[in-house]
Amino acid sequence: MYSYEDRVRAVELYIKLGKRVRPTIRQLGYPTKNSLKGWYSEYQQKLDLPAGYAGRRPKFSQEQKAVAIEHYLAHDRCIAATMRALGYPGRGTLTAWVREALPEARRTVVGSVGRRRYPFAQAGAAHTVLLRQRPLAGRPR
């Protein structure tokens, strides 16, 4: 993002150089062609550039967010069921909303995560390796 002064400097130089994009960018080292053209069109309309950048409005309202979290809590805390029933938002967005609203509802470990499934198989493999390394009595090498 460029400061107000940088954008005004670029637009004024663009006008001074006869509205030629490449020489303007070459001389300043910034911006992109599309940025410069956008800044110029905005400058033409208002005869000035806005001091800051306008942020975009949120995709979902606070009411939609509250409905989604309420549905999630009422239906066994299932993200897939909530997404399917409401038709919005995506998994990442809904997960972020839930973590924001319920910080204590972090993912819990269920099952045998972190435990070896077959500890005996590893011990058996080590035993087999040891047997192969020992020379058999009476067997020539």
Side-chain angles (χ1 to χ4, degrees), residues 28-110:
L28 292 174
Y30 71 92
T32 63
K33 173 186 71 163
N34 290 336
S35 294
L36 183 58
K37 286 182 176 182
W39 295 344
Y40 176 71
S41 68
E42 199 168 355
Y43 184 82
Q44 267 188 319
Q45 291 171 359
K46 301 175 184 173
L47 299 177
D48 197 15
L49 291 171
Y53 287 97
R56 78 179 178 148
R57 61 183 186 85
K59 192 172 184 179
F60 300 103
S61 68
Q62 287 296 325
E63 181 181 315
Q64 289 176 312
K65 187 174 175 180
V67 167
I69 292 172
E70 186 177 316
H71 187 279
Y72 170 78
L73 292 172
H75 291 87
D76 203 27
R77 295 180 177 231
C78 181
I79 288 187
T82 303
M83 289 170 31
R84 197 170 30 251
L86 299 178
Y88 72 92
R91 180 175 298 278
T93 305
L94 183 56
T95 302
W97 290 352
V98 168
R99 286 182 179 161
E100 179 185 312
L102 310 163
E104 73 280 354
R106 300 298 288 175
R107 185 179 207 132
T108 57
V109 177
V110 178

Side-chain angles (χ1 to χ4, degrees), residues 1-5 7-8 42 46 48-54:
M1 295 224 263
Y2 298 99
S3 69
Y4 172 77
E5 292 80 19
R7 291 181 286 144
V8 169
E42 199 168 355
K46 301 175 184 173
D48 197 15
L49 291 171
Y53 287 97

Side-chain angles (χ1 to χ4, degrees), residues 111-138:
S112 61
V113 175
R115 229 175 28 190
R116 289 194 178 116
R117 287 192 175 153
Y118 308 107
F120 57 86
Q122 199 170 31
H127 180 68
T128 306
V129 170
L130 287 175
L131 285 177
R132 288 184 193 158
Q133 289 176 352
R134 267 193 243 149
L136 296 173

